[in-house]
Amino acid sequence: MPASPSTDSDVPVKLVVKSGGKAIDDALEVLSVSVFKVINKVPKAEIVLRDGNMPEGKFPASDSDSFEPGKKIEIQAGYGSDAEPIFSGIVIGQRLSIDGDTLGRLSVECRDPAVAMTVGPKNANFVDSKDSDIASKLIGNTSGLSSDVDSTDTEWKELV
């Protein structure tokens, strides 16, 4: 297993979670952040926060609009005062769980905006089209996405 980057660092780890372009409230306690970027999969992230407790019935992170579905999320990480973006996407769901001590945990599931390309049927016929033209058209048909596809030479007579 590779060594952690923090073993060679003598400065603290920095984590910034932004919702709608603004850093989330410092009062929200982030327990963990996991970012998954895998070949041939839509990038995703999970943010887990401490969120109130059941006897009081108050859940500040869940009740805020910071993590409502569709909200833009950016996660930055680094060392010391430097933090670079490691994930940018949208909230697609949240889950509240209560542990044995009646403390709440909010799990926020985020995905890259390209997840919109995976929802619902999107059949299309392409005639005498290049791979690059097909990819550009498919990406362009998805709201909020833009493409920069290199030109290819292969041209398909017909492709569904």
Side-chain angles (χ1 to χ4, degrees):
M1 184 159 99
S4 169
S6 64
T7 53
D8 294 331
S9 177
D10 57 352
V11 293
V13 173
K14 179 175 179 102
L15 175 70
V16 178
V17 177
K18 291 184 176 182
S19 173
K22 294 188 282 188
I24 62 170
D25 188 356
D26 288 337
L28 297 176
E29 183 182 350
V30 177
L31 300 176
S32 69
V33 171
S34 301
V35 175
F36 304 92
K37 293 184 177 181
V38 181
I39 294 173
N40 288 334
K41 297 225 183 232
V42 175
K44 66 180 179 176
E46 181 182 38
I47 306 165
V48 180
L49 303 106
R50 173 89 53 213
D51 192 20
N53 65 51
M54 192 170 65
E56 292 179 10
K58 295 181 181 174
F59 302 97
S62 299
D63 293 339
S64 77
D65 65 350
S66 295
F67 302 109
E68 61 188 20
K71 194 77 160 197
K72 291 185 180 193
I73 295 290
E74 181 178 9
I75 301 170
Q76 300 176 352
Y79 296 100
S81 61
D82 297 331
E84 296 182 14
I86 60 171
F87 179 83
S88 181
I90 57 172
V91 174
I92 63 162
Q94 55 176 262
R95 179 178 60 252
L96 183 63
S97 60
I98 308 295
D99 64 14
D101 296 328
T102 68
L103 296 174
R105 286 180 186 233
L106 177 66
S107 297
V108 180
E109 186 178 352
C110 307
R111 296 281 170 102
D112 187 277
V115 74
M117 293 180 68
T118 68
V119 179
K122 296 186 176 43
N123 298 338
N125 292 319
F126 298 94
V127 179
D128 297 326
S129 298
K130 294 182 180 181
D131 287 334
S132 54
D133 296 336
I134 294 169
S136 295
K137 185 165 183 142
L138 292 173
I139 295 168
N141 287 344
T142 304
S143 176
L145 295 182
S146 62
S147 65
D148 182 16
V149 180
D150 292 339
S151 182
T152 58
D153 295 328
T154 304
E155 187 171 308
W156 299 98
K157 200 76 167 138
E158 185 175 355
L159 184 69
V160 178

